[in-house]
Amino acid sequence: MIDVIASEWHKLRSLRSNGYLLATSLLAVLVCAGVAYLMIRGYDGQSPAERLRFTSNGDGLGTGLPVAYFVFGTLGALTITSEYATGMIRTSLVAVPRRQLLLFAKVPGLAAVTLAGGQVLAFAMHLSAQAVLGDRAGHILLDGRTLGTGLSEPGVLTSVIVSGLSMAAAALLGLGVGAAIRSTPGSLVVLVLIFLVVPFAVRVLPSPLRAQAGSYLFESLPQQIAGVGGGTLAPGAAAGLLAAHVAAAMAAGAAGIAAKRRKVKALAVGVVATLATSLAAGLVAGLVAVPSAGDAPALAERPANGLMAPPEASDSPGPVAQSPERGLASGDTPAWRPCADQDAPGDMRCATVQVPLDWKKPEGRKITIPVALLPASGAERRIGTVFSIPGGPGASGIDDLKQYHGRFAQLRDRFDVVSFAPRNTVKPGGALPYDCLATGPWITLPRDRAQYAALERSNREHAQRCRAADPELFDHMDSASVARDIEAVRAALGEERLSFLANSYGGTPAAAYARLFPARVRAMVLDGTAAHVEDTAAGEPRRYAVAERQLERFAAWCRSATACALHGQDVGEVWRALVAAADRSPVPVKNDPSRAAYSGFDLKVAAAPSFTAPGGEPDVPRWVQLADAIEQGRGR
């Protein structure tokens, strides 16, 4: 066997065309550098906002890999088809009658050359792309990635090394194809199909089929093996699929070289055998890697201890009070199911998690919190889970996912999106009377101590009426308890850390979560959260001073802009007079059959967003509208 391997190594290194072919692989370096150059040409011509939406070039190997694979595959195919073309195969078979031994004796020498050459080429491709990008490579994009990723980035070095190894795999695949087909032109046609035509065809498929099929492409396997993106396969499944491609091709080659038929028949048999075994390898790997159709994507490999399927009668998104005996039993397995609501997206899944009503008494009464998930749907590597906390208080995050699921599309390229109906969700048919929650208590601005006392009594009566339905639940609807519920969901999902997207009031439980569980926060975006500690100036809260400055900005604009309906007037005095008049006699809404009217307090609440967010300059459209509304309010 050693003598056969030595003779095959002598053939490989003495064939001058192999050196030329390896030199041709430098085209892959030029392709990678050229694509990076075209990218920066487009990048430099965009505005800062448009640059943020650019797609990352990643490790820079993507565009050059198909070229490299084709060259290395051709090298592998020529290792045996050249003998058929020159007739030297007869001499080789006389020396080595065992045909399959002759084939596998070519593997060590070919593997040694292509392993070394693949590593050199992979690093050259990466470094050339990074060199062309220059300093721009570190520019951060909207998806959190950079325009280019250097070797110091997590997983990139591994990805480049695995890409080099995969070039040796492409050479062995080419060897198998060449042995099966016994024809250089026929082998090249098959290699073009595998490395160039099929990837192009996959890219024009509709989404999400494009992302799913793209995961099985030869060129996308190295990044998935390294765990840095490029598909939906786990690293082990991607490595198995790469090995399956080589094994399938070599099996076809072993069958082809053993067939003692005429060349035309051998060619037909070889093509069929190669394609059939490659397809079989892909199907087997797909069956191993892809969850069953009834499972939610990206959930198959994550534990979710503590989650349970929603009971048939618990379609309400509000929390359901339960007795302790209905708590989740040890060893229960989570079962995500399609959400019962017809207006839910088709891929949305629902479950429930049981939590203590009083977190100081974890063994006491339990409540059930409904949870919903929109699984990651992009082809890139899944980063983790984004937990969306709804506003209110009283809103349901599950309703938000159903109604606004399209707005999460970009996040779902890299994340699962999870939300819930918090324990303080307000819904008809919920644990607390909906009527008492919908009709009060009210937020108004009392003029004196007597009005303050009257408002306090009225609001307390409303609160007590709501509390009477379930005092224990009512006393534990605070934001800190909601934050602990989120932690229970995190533990159930099996996630080490969560990213957060909190809207309005949602910032309050989000801030509580960050205070209680700081090590569990990966990233957090709070939209409109309230300040818990305010600086004071002249005895008044800071927010009043901020509001006064916004009014002064608006007044200054009106003094200089003829587009302001109050141009030439003392805007501060006009506004204060309107508020005072509305407090005495509310301003009616024109043509409103309900006869709604705005008090001064209502006007200040309604106008606040326009004062603070006037719109893009120089048009400031919301200030223009605000000035018109104030002028109309004066005239009633």
Side-chain angles (χ1 to χ4, degrees):
M1 180 65 179
I2 296 177
D3 291 338
V4 179
I5 293 174
S7 66
E8 292 303 322
W9 166 247
H10 179 74
K11 290 180 189 177
L12 182 66
R13 67 184 179 85
S14 62
L15 193 61
R16 187 176 301 176
S17 61
N18 287 342
Y20 297 146
L21 193 58
L22 286 173
T24 305
S25 66
L26 293 176
L27 286 173
V29 178
L30 297 178
V31 169
C32 292
V35 169
Y37 174 74
L38 294 175
M39 175 176 281
I40 63 171
R41 286 284 300 272
Y43 183 81
D44 290 345
Q46 302 296 320
S47 66
E50 291 170 329
R51 290 178 182 177
L52 287 174
R53 302 184 185 279
F54 254 66
T55 301
S56 172
N57 195 37
D59 57 19
L61 274 66
T63 52
L65 275 179
V67 176
Y69 288 150
F70 177 72
V71 173
F72 276 71
T74 300
L75 176 65
L78 288 176
T79 301
I80 190 164
T81 60
S82 60
E83 293 196 51
Y84 280 102
T86 60
M88 285 297 296
I89 189 66
R90 296 185 183 89
T91 304
S92 297
L93 290 176
V94 169
V96 186
R98 295 172 58 187
R99 294 171 176 249
Q100 292 172 338
L101 176 61
L102 176 67
L103 172 64
F104 285 99
K106 296 178 180 293
V107 171
L110 179 64
V113 170
T114 54
L115 281 172
Q119 292 301 319
V120 172
L121 185 61
F123 278 94
M125 292 161 64
H126 169 76
L127 295 175
S128 66
Q130 288 294 104
V132 173
L133 291 178
D135 294 339
R136 302 175 188 81
H139 291 190
I140 298 177
L141 306 175
L142 192 62
D143 62 1
R145 305 176 70 188
T146 51
L147 191 62
T149 52
L151 294 175
S152 60
E153 295 291 327
V156 175
L157 177 60
T158 304
S159 175
V160 174
I161 292 174
V162 173
S163 295
L165 296 175
S166 69
M167 293 180 200
L172 295 178
L173 188 150
L175 175 63
V177 170
I181 297 177
R182 305 187 187 183
S183 164
T184 299
S187 300
L188 294 182
V189 168
V190 173
L191 293 175
V192 166
L193 285 173
I194 294 174
F195 295 131
L196 301 175
V197 175
V198 172
F200 177 80
V202 167
R203 290 189 184 98
V204 299
L205 291 174
S207 182
L209 184 59
R210 178 174 63 250
Q212 295 169 349
S215 299
Y216 296 91
L217 293 178
F218 200 91
E219 65 189 57
S220 70
L221 296 177
Q223 283 191 320
Q224 294 179 93
I225 294 172
V228 295
T232 59
L233 298 180
L241 183 55
L242 183 65
H245 278 298
V246 176
M250 290 301 295
I257 197 173
K260 299 178 181 180
R261 297 184 180 90
R262 287 182 300 175
K263 191 172 182 180
V264 173
K265 290 185 177 180
L267 175 62
V269 171
V271 170
V272 172
T274 301
L275 296 180
T277 51
S278 295
L279 178 60
L283 289 175
V284 170
L287 290 174
V288 172
V290 178
S292 63
D295 293 336
L299 289 177
E301 62 189 43
R302 287 205 310 280
N305 299 325
L307 285 177
M308 58 182 290
E312 297 299 328
S314 64
D315 294 337
S316 170
V320 180
Q322 292 189 336
S323 57
E325 60 270 22
R326 287 192 63 189
L328 187 65
S330 175
D332 280 358
T333 303
W336 289 93
R337 295 179 179 174
C339 299
D341 296 335
Q342 293 183 353
D343 57 343
D347 60 347
M348 183 169 160
R349 296 293 181 264
C350 290
T352 57
V353 59
Q354 286 187 339
V355 299
L357 185 145
D358 183 354
W359 278 98
K360 294 179 181 178
K361 301 175 182 177
E363 301 302 323
R365 178 183 167 192
K366 303 293 192 297
I367 59 173
T368 297
I369 304 295
V371 183
L373 172 138
L374 291 173
S377 56
E380 296 293 336
R381 178 180 65 88
R382 176 186 171 277
I383 293 175
T385 295
V386 170
F387 200 104
S388 177
I389 308 179
S396 166
I398 296 178
D399 288 347
D400 289 347
L401 292 191
K402 288 189 296 186
Q403 186 173 359
Y404 304 114
H405 59 92
R407 299 182 182 180
F408 295 98
Q410 191 169 11
L411 267 179
R412 293 178 65 190
D413 283 343
R414 305 297 293 275
F415 295 90
D416 293 337
V417 178
V418 171
S419 193
F420 67 156
R423 60 171 64 202
N424 53 18
T425 299
V426 178
K427 279 286 183 181
L432 300 179
Y434 180 68
D435 290 342
C436 76
L437 294 168
T439 58
W442 298 107
I443 301 175
T444 60
L445 191 63
R447 297 193 190 95
D448 50 40
R449 289 185 176 276
Q451 285 190 359
Y452 184 92
L455 181 63
E456 181 185 20
R457 288 193 300 271
S458 174
N459 287 349
R460 185 169 294 278
E461 289 173 2
H462 278 293
Q464 290 298 335
R465 189 152 51 90
C466 291
R467 184 178 183 275
D470 192 336
E472 189 179 11
L473 175 62
F474 189 91
D475 291 346
H476 294 90
M477 296 176 71
D478 56 289
S479 298
S481 294
V482 173
R484 294 184 185 278
D485 295 344
I486 296 172
E487 172 62 9
V489 175
R490 180 208 61 78
L493 291 172
E495 294 284 2
E496 183 177 351
R497 295 187 300 167
L498 294 174
S499 298
F500 289 91
L501 180 61
N503 177 52
S504 190
Y505 154 78
T508 301
Y513 186 92
R515 175 174 54 84
L516 293 168
F517 311 104
R520 298 300 185 182
V521 178
R522 174 189 172 275
M524 185 173 281
V525 175
L526 309 182
D527 180 11
T529 187
H532 291 272
V533 179
E534 292 184 324
D535 296 330
T536 59
E540 292 187 345
R542 177 175 169 269
R543 64 177 178 270
Y544 294 152
V546 172
E548 190 68 22
R549 284 199 297 271
Q550 298 294 350
L551 175 60
E552 292 172 358
R553 288 179 59 219
F554 174 67
W557 170 75
C558 277
R559 284 194 295 270
S560 61
T562 56
C564 176
L566 305 175
H567 182 65
Q569 304 178 51
D570 187 334
V571 173
E573 287 301 319
V574 170
W575 170 249
R576 294 184 181 91
L578 175 61
V579 170
D583 278 333
R584 293 190 299 270
S585 176
V587 179
V589 178
K590 293 181 179 179
N591 302 320
D592 184 7
S594 67
R595 298 183 180 180
Y598 285 96
S599 67
F601 178 77
D602 295 332
L603 290 177
K604 286 189 283 188
V605 172
S610 295
F611 273 125
T612 57
E617 297 182 358
D619 297 330
V620 288
R622 295 189 73 175
W623 274 357
V624 173
Q625 296 171 358
L626 178 61
D628 290 340
I630 293 173
E631 184 64 21
Q632 292 176 23
R634 292 175 66 195
R636 303 246 176 176

